[in-house]
Amino acid sequence: MNESLIPQNLQFVKQEIQTLATQEGLTPESVRLIAVSKNQPIESIQIAWEAGQTLFGENKVQELLTKIPLLPQAEWHLIGHLQTNKVKSIVGQVALIHSVDSERLLLEIEKQARLKGIVQPILLQLFISGEETKSGLSPEEALSLLEASNQFPHVQIKGLMGVAALTEDREIIRAQFQTLSDCFQSWKNNRPNFTELSMGMSSDFPEAIQYGSTLVRIGTAIFGSRNYA
Ligand SMILES: *Cc1c(COP(=O)(O)O)cnc(C)c1O
């Protein structure tokens, strides 16, 4: 894509988010935009930064660790699957890990955060898509981790994340966001730090905002299609 389109794409996406949030009776600040910069060169990320974007998401640990030092002032999130053996290198480097999808992974984050003397904010990823290629916890598993959270003092569970199915069927997408939203709404009672619901990508962020998303993860609509060559 022509990099010069990035500022106007960003502006358009932000406007959309603002309109949708207002329609839901929310303040524009209650839905934050994560610019998903995976597979994008640092030049494109710089352009987005200069256009006012401060929050970026990446789905691979190695790529993230390469990019953070090039733009350390940005707020970086890990949104993709995290392998246990990479936890050590990422803990303490990112503002939020969205993709905690097993107890084993949570335990490893706890261990590495304890060794570094920090508290790592995370989200629990729920499996909502019904697609075998996607990962995530069942609602029962997620709730039991949340209820055991005092056993993980170096991890702060800030909320939930999910990825809807890749389908044109809006009803399926809505039903999946509804499931995630229902869990979020019922579990956030009496949990003052449980405030984030990460759902919605380029193709489905309008629905996600209607179902209460607080963090939308948008790549293609900002940067254009990714070049996997
Ligand atoms: C790539 C990715 C996104 C962004 O997808 P787009 O369709 O490009 O907006 C969002 N969330 C996750 C977990 C991703 O891996």
Side-chain angles (χ1 to χ4, degrees):
M1 191 196 77
N2 186 343
E3 286 177 355
S4 66
L5 294 175
I6 293 171
Q8 70 197 58
N9 288 348
L10 250 180
Q11 195 49 41
F12 179 79
V13 168
K14 281 198 246 182
Q15 203 91 60
E16 280 286 298
I17 292 171
Q18 192 161 344
T19 303
L20 290 155
T22 307
Q23 279 169 8
E24 298 305 309
L26 304 167
T27 60
E29 308 82 66
S30 52
V31 184
R32 292 204 298 153
L33 169 61
I34 302 173
V36 177
S37 50
K38 63 188 186 195
N39 284 78
Q40 301 298 339
I42 192 68
E43 292 74 21
S44 296
I45 299 173
Q46 288 281 1
I47 291 170
W49 169 264
E50 275 152 31
Q53 180 64 26
T54 56
L55 181 46
F56 294 89
E58 290 278 338
N59 71 336
K60 293 208 178 82
V61 170
Q62 203 44 56
E63 191 173 343
L64 188 46
L65 291 175
T66 311
K67 286 173 174 173
I68 291 172
L70 303 174
L71 195 58
Q73 320 90 299
E75 180 178 329
W76 291 96
H77 290 195
L78 179 69
I79 63 170
H81 182 67
L82 174 58
Q83 288 171 288
T84 314
N85 62 2
K86 303 226 168 111
V87 168
K88 189 177 177 178
S89 59
I90 201 72
V91 158
Q93 301 292 315
V94 287
L96 188 62
I97 299 173
H98 289 229
S99 42
V100 177
D101 57 6
S102 71
E103 180 173 16
R104 187 163 158 256
L105 181 58
L106 186 65
L107 287 169
E108 183 63 15
I109 297 172
E110 166 63 23
K111 177 182 163 194
Q112 297 299 337
R114 177 170 49 77
L115 291 172
K116 291 184 185 173
I118 60 154
V119 174
Q120 175 65 59
I122 64 130
L123 302 178
L124 297 174
Q125 180 172 358
L126 254 62
F127 177 73
I128 56 169
S129 70
E131 293 172 343
E132 274 176 35
T133 51
K134 296 197 171 103
S135 51
L137 299 155
S138 68
E140 294 72 25
E141 290 168 327
L143 183 57
S144 78
L145 291 178
L146 194 54
E147 285 175 340
S149 63
N150 59 357
Q151 295 169 30
F152 317 113
H154 301 88
V155 171
Q156 185 181 41
I157 304 177
K158 301 248 344 155
L160 301 177
M161 181 266 207
V163 182
L166 195 61
T167 171
E168 290 299 312
D169 188 334
R170 312 321 288 177
E171 287 311 313
I172 292 177
I173 292 170
R174 284 199 192 93
Q176 293 174 350
F177 285 157
Q178 174 88 66
T179 301
L180 190 53
S181 174
D182 286 348
C183 291
F184 178 67
Q185 294 301 333
S186 67
W187 301 347
K188 81 201 243 286
N189 280 325
N190 303 319
R191 293 191 174 94
N193 297 319
F194 196 78
T195 53
E196 302 295 341
L197 180 56
S198 167
M199 61 181 195
M201 315 185 5
S202 294
S203 57
D204 56 21
F205 75 90
E207 284 88 354
I209 294 172
Q210 285 164 353
Y211 284 92
S213 176
T214 67
L215 288 166
V216 289
R217 311 177 307 265
I218 300 182
T220 313
I222 297 170
F223 295 107
S225 347
R226 287 174 286 271
N227 184 358
Y228 287 104

